[in-house]
Structure formats: C-alpha cells, structure tokens
Amino acid sequence: MSAPAATDNDAQHEHHFENADSGAALTYPMQCSALRKNGFVVMKGRPCKIIDMSTSKTGKHGHAKVNYSGVDLFNGRKYEDMSPSTHNVDVPHVTRNEYQLIDISEEDYLTLMNEQGETKEDVKLLDDAEITKKIKEEFEEGKDLLITILTSMGEQGVVSHREAPLNS
C-alpha cells in the first residue's frame, strides 16, 4: 500500500478563516455559588452588577439555589434570576478606564483623552440620565473632569466622573 501524496494531505489541513477578531470571549463561566454581591453576571443576555443575592436550601435531596438580582451596567434595568448553586453562569469581562474629558458634541458624544494622549470619540452620554446632566453642568462651568468608562460585551458607557486633581 502506497502512502498518499504529500499535496493531498496538505490540502485537507488547509483552513481559511474569514473572521479577524482577537478570539477573546465576551464572558467566562463561574460556578453560581462563587458569585458575590457587587460582582458581575450575565442576566437575560445583558452584563449586570449583582445588587442582592441569597442562597436557599431545598428539600432532603434537593440542591441549594441561588437567587440574585442585578442592574444592567448600561441601561440601569433591574433583572432577577435563580440558579442551582452548583451550575455555571456566564460572567462578563468588564474593563474600567479613566479618561480626561476634552469636549462634548451637540449630539452628546464625548471627546476623551487617555494618559497616553490618544483620543476617543465613540462614547455617547445617555439621554435623560442624572450623570449626563451633572457632567454637562460641570463641563460648562469650566471644570477639568475625569470620566470613568465601563466596557463589557461590546458595549461601553459612562459610569462616573470626578474633577481632575490640580497637579495633572
């Protein structure tokens, strides 16, 4: 029996990938019993911060259940969920970055600058949010503001702001 030609073997292992993302997942699994208040979890497909949770033991042969409620990181909606403590749930990768506010456009897009001097102009303030009013008021007063942006699951939003220290 003769060995197959090298070109035949190479052709079957040749792959073509159209997608060019980094391959990093938006979420990672965590056992439900390991979740903690003020941690993050995916609820109804949305990244949420856990605001309350409790564990309840069920009958003789039952499993402990974890009841938890959370607030959407970007739109503020409240969600509730329940899961057996031994099951895995999805936890979103969340990054927090601070930027200096340079300008606010008429459409409420922020011009931000990071510590390396790179600008970012793709963050929009939420309509009718309390934080939006405060940021606009303080910016119009001429205050130098630092804006904290949370990024998770392909979304980003303003979560807080503070006046920049005078020495920066």
Side-chain angles (χ1 to χ4, degrees), residues 23 27 57 72-73 107 137:
T27 63
K57 296 240 186 247
D72 190 300
L73 294 177
E107 297 87 30
E137 282 172 15

Side-chain angles (χ1 to χ4, degrees), residues 48-69:
C48 296
K49 182 175 186 172
I50 300 169
I51 55 171
D52 191 36
M53 62 185 304
S54 61
T55 306
S56 59
K57 296 240 186 247
T58 55
K60 191 172 167 182
H61 299 289
H63 292 281
K65 298 252 191 288
V66 177
N67 296 305
Y68 48 97
S69 55

Side-chain angles (χ1 to χ4, degrees), residues 64-136:
K65 298 252 191 288
V66 177
N67 296 305
Y68 48 97
S69 55
V71 176
D72 190 300
L73 294 177
F74 302 113
N75 65 28
R77 280 202 196 103
K78 190 173 177 181
Y79 297 101
E80 291 189 18
D81 208 348
M82 179 172 38
S83 181
S85 63
T86 55
H87 286 202
N88 280 349
V89 292
D90 286 332
V91 175
H93 288 284
V94 178
T95 57
R96 177 185 299 265
N97 291 306
E98 201 168 57
Y99 298 90
Q100 184 175 358
L101 179 61
I102 305 298
D103 195 20
I104 303 174
S105 74
E106 288 184 23
E107 297 87 30
D108 285 345
Y109 279 94
L110 303 179
T111 301
L112 303 167
M113 185 171 64
N114 66 11
E115 289 179 359
Q116 290 76 34
E118 299 161 342
T119 57
K120 176 181 184 65
E121 298 178 343
D122 59 348
V123 178
K124 190 176 192 311
L125 288 170
L126 292 175
D127 298 331
D128 303 324
E130 190 64 34
I131 193 168
T132 298
K133 292 178 192 138
K134 286 181 181 176
I135 289 172
K136 284 181 171 182

Side-chain angles (χ1 to χ4, degrees), residues 120-165:
K120 176 181 184 65
E121 298 178 343
D122 59 348
V123 178
K124 190 176 192 311
L125 288 170
L126 292 175
D127 298 331
D128 303 324
E130 190 64 34
I131 193 168
T132 298
K133 292 178 192 138
K134 286 181 181 176
I135 289 172
K136 284 181 171 182
E137 282 172 15
E138 291 181 28
F139 184 71
E140 286 168 11
E141 289 171 10
K143 291 183 179 175
D144 194 9
L145 299 178
L146 295 176
I147 307 292
T148 303
I149 305 291
L150 222 54
T151 306
S152 180
M153 296 177 68
E155 289 185 62
Q156 59 188 354
V158 176
V159 290
S160 68
H161 74 291
R162 64 184 175 95
E163 196 165 351

